Structure formats: C-alpha cells, structure tokens
Amino acid sequence: MAANAETGGVQSVARAFALLETLRVLGGEAGVSELSAEGELPAPTIHRLLQTLSTHGYVVQLPSRRYSLGPGLIRLGDGATRRLSLWAMPVLAGLGQGSQETANMAILDGDMASYVAQVPSPHQMRMFTEVGRRVFPHAAGVGKAILSQLPDERVIEIVRRTGMPAYTPTTITSEAALLADLQATRQRGYAIDEGEQEVGVRCYALPVAGLAMPAAISVSGPESRVTLASVDRMVQLLREAGALLRAAMPGA
C-alpha cells in the first residue's frame, strides 16, 4: 500500500479493490478472519471496507455473518462487457470477413472464459456460441489462449477450483497435459482447439495482451474448412486483428 501512495493512488480505494479480488480468489464468500489472513490487512480495516462496499451493493453480508460478492459488481461487469463488445465488434467483423469463419472474443471471468463478442460465419454450417456464455478454460481455444497469459501456478489454482471435465475424446483432462499445451501455445503464440469443446470443430485462438483483463480472440469452424493447412493464413488474420483491437482500446 505504501508503494501505491507514492505513485499518487488512493490507499483506501486500492485496498477496497484488493479486498474484492481476495474475496473472488476465496470463491466469492469468506469471513473477516479469512480475508485478513489472505490479504494481510488488519481485521478492523477489512470490516470498515466491507461495510462501505456493502452499502453500495458490492458485497453482501450473509446470515452466517460471512461476506459474499454482491449484485453491484454484476452491474459494473455488464456495463464493462457491453463497452468491450462495442470496441471489439468492428475488428471481429473484419476478422470474420477475412477468414469466412466465426470470429470470437472472450475474457477471463472469474475462473471461466466468457464470450463477450462474436461475428458468425456466413456459411450455413458454422460454429455458434451465445455471447455471455461461460466455458471451462481448459477445454476451449480462447480459454487456453487466456490461460497462456497466466503463471502456471495460477492456472493450476483455477483448474483445481473448476475441475477439468471432458467434453470430447480430445479434451485435455490432466494438469500436466494442460501445462504442456500452454507452454506450446506460448512458444508459437496461439492456441489450437482440436475438437476439445465440440467434436469436428477446430479453433485457432490468439492471446490479446495489454487489456485490463486476460483476453483472447479466435476463429472457429468445421475442421473440413478450418484445416491444419490454413493455420498460417488464419493466424496472420488473428495477429492483424489483435493489433487493431489493442489500438482501438481506450488509452492505447
């Protein structure tokens, strides 16, 4: 907190956000003593911050006297997601036009990958995911591209909380295999989903760094069209779209 004060930040605001993040890491619900042990703030300070956050609906005190994340955060998240979608859609439209496949953008939402924007393929047979859908990150191209931006220790924490369910025969279901896949993703710069979420669907996904949260964009479609031979062209389109997306973000 001292370092924050030196850079001109407001200590109480920084502490409030850190407290919300700690509550998220603890599963969205915790007591004051747990928050104090995890976040290294004294219990009286945490109690004061929680009372203020509770007044505005950002946390809720439960009958057990524990605290949980509150509905006020949903309003903030919905507003931020809508803005992000508006910024991303023109870029995704260009990516979809160039690839002739479905273009997606997803962000890390808690422990899940959440789709925030999509432009469908013009083909009748195409991949479709509802905007707002949350998926297990280990089993999707965008999810693996997002996880590749995180330290392995945090990846393990996430998948141990979510589990690693198998959706298809090619879904990665072990921590060791996932970490190896993420290392390959970091080395080549993009993730590949080989029918791991849906049988017969291939996806190439690109991490998008420099945003406020880990994010990724992707192109996906039937493996008969999104072929292994098309990877260079698809990845080049993704890289061009990623550069445009970063440039379009406010403050870029």
Side-chain angles (χ1 to χ4, degrees):
M1 293 302 136
N4 183 72
E6 289 173 4
T7 58
V10 178
Q11 186 182 64
S12 59
V13 174
R15 285 179 167 178
F17 280 115
L19 185 60
L20 290 171
E21 181 63 20
T22 300
L23 191 54
R24 182 196 67 79
V25 169
L26 291 173
E29 178 185 325
V32 172
S33 59
E34 294 171 82
L35 291 166
S36 180
E38 184 72 19
E40 300 181 354
L41 285 176
T45 299
I46 290 175
H47 183 74
R48 289 195 300 272
L49 291 170
L50 288 170
Q51 289 300 308
T52 301
L53 292 167
S54 178
T55 298
H56 297 282
Y58 299 128
V59 300
V60 174
Q61 188 172 28
L62 305 173
S64 63
R65 303 195 64 78
R66 290 163 64 83
Y67 288 86
S68 71
L69 297 173
L73 296 173
I74 297 175
R75 295 192 299 271
L76 290 178
D78 286 346
T81 298
R82 284 194 296 271
R83 293 301 306 167
L84 186 58
S85 178
L86 287 174
W87 293 322
M89 285 300 287
V91 176
L92 292 185
L95 177 59
Q97 183 176 17
S99 67
Q100 291 293 288
E101 300 297 343
T102 298
N104 311 281
M105 181 175 185
I107 62 170
L108 183 63
D109 180 8
D111 290 336
M112 305 290 276
S114 178
Y115 288 90
V116 296
Q118 182 180 86
V119 173
S121 165
H123 296 288
Q124 185 173 4
M125 186 172 67
R126 62 194 180 193
M127 181 270 188
F128 176 78
T129 296
E130 182 180 359
V131 172
R133 181 187 177 198
R134 301 169 79 240
V135 298
F136 289 87
H138 75 283
V142 287
K144 293 193 295 180
I146 287 170
L147 291 180
S148 73
Q149 301 172 62
L150 307 178
D152 284 351
E153 294 78 9
R154 187 174 174 194
V155 171
I156 295 301
E157 291 173 358
I158 288 173
V159 298
R160 286 183 179 174
R161 286 192 294 264
T162 63
M164 300 179 69
Y167 293 98
T168 76
T170 58
T171 303
I172 295 173
T173 57
S174 78
E175 293 175 1
L178 177 62
L179 293 181
D181 189 283
L182 296 180
Q183 182 59 27
T185 294
R186 295 179 187 115
Q187 290 175 349
R188 65 178 171 245
Y190 60 91
I192 306 175
D193 174 353
E194 288 284 7
E196 296 158 44
Q197 183 73 31
E198 297 182 40
V199 173
V201 174
R202 180 175 285 119
C203 171
Y204 296 119
L206 184 83
V208 181
L211 306 186
M213 74 294 289
I217 55 175
S218 70
V219 290
S220 55
E223 58 188 14
S224 59
R225 293 199 310 262
V226 183
T227 64
L228 294 175
S230 72
V231 61
D232 290 342
R233 183 174 66 86
M234 294 295 188
V235 170
Q236 181 59 33
L237 289 169
L238 283 165
R239 287 174 174 154
E240 292 170 0
L244 290 172
L245 189 60
R246 284 188 291 269
M249 290 295 107

